[in-house]
Amino acid sequence: FVALTLVPVASRSGGRRPVMDALGLVLGMGLLGSAVVAAVPEQLVRLLGGTEYLDAAGLLLAFTGLGTLWALCQVLLFAEMARGHRSLTVIALVATAAGALVVLVTDTRTAGAIVATYAAVALVVAVIGSARFLLSRGEPGAVTTAAPTGSALP
């Protein structure tokens, strides 16, 4: 929901502030979620999934971290798409496909290894997206070509 609220603001050339605020909010929620999960993982699994899933309690923090990384990616993806750019989307798709290939080729069978693979994928996408954001002079995926003369585009 955070990324979706960013699209209208970012598409109106809102600069860095809305994107930085959204990234900070997502990161804060992820850190808060991680603190809660680290403090009471078994209780959360019992409450949310039932006792038959208690074996997953050890992975709850990893899943929270993975979700936070992908949420950061989503903010960066939506911010760039709001500016009419799709290159980070292509990067995310290629990286995700590469992650699937790694899982298939290495015959990965544990949830922890799959989470680690996709955390690495999300980290790559987040780092590339962040670098693009920082290098775009304040506007994610900033459009560098001028609109044609007489165009209705701002």
Side-chain angles (χ1 to χ4, degrees):
F1 74 91
V2 172
L4 285 175
T5 61
L6 176 67
V7 172
V9 174
S11 66
R12 291 188 304 264
S13 298
R16 281 182 186 247
R17 186 73 179 179
V19 178
M20 294 300 290
D21 288 350
L23 289 169
L25 179 60
V26 167
L27 186 58
M29 290 187 320
L31 291 172
L32 178 62
S34 295
V36 171
V37 164
V40 291
E42 291 85 11
Q43 294 83 345
L44 285 171
V45 171
R46 270 193 202 95
L47 177 70
L48 300 173
T51 57
E52 60 271 15
Y53 293 102
L54 278 175
D55 290 346
L59 288 172
L60 211 50
L61 189 56
F63 278 117
T64 304
L66 179 62
T68 301
L69 281 171
W70 278 116
L72 292 168
C73 291
Q74 185 181 27
V75 168
L76 292 163
L77 284 161
F78 274 62
E80 199 168 90
M81 284 189 288
R83 301 275 194 235
H85 290 268
R86 306 288 183 264
S87 56
L88 189 59
T89 302
V90 172
I91 291 167
L93 289 170
V94 169
T96 302
L101 189 60
V102 166
V103 168
L104 291 172
V105 169
T106 61
D107 198 28
T108 301
R109 297 187 184 271
T110 66
I114 294 170
V115 168
T117 299
Y118 281 99
V121 168
L123 187 59
V124 165
V125 174
V127 166
I128 291 171
S130 296
R132 288 176 54 81
F133 172 70
L134 293 172
L135 295 174
S136 68
R137 288 172 275 149
E139 297 184 7
V143 178
T144 55
T145 58
T149 306
S151 169
L153 296 174

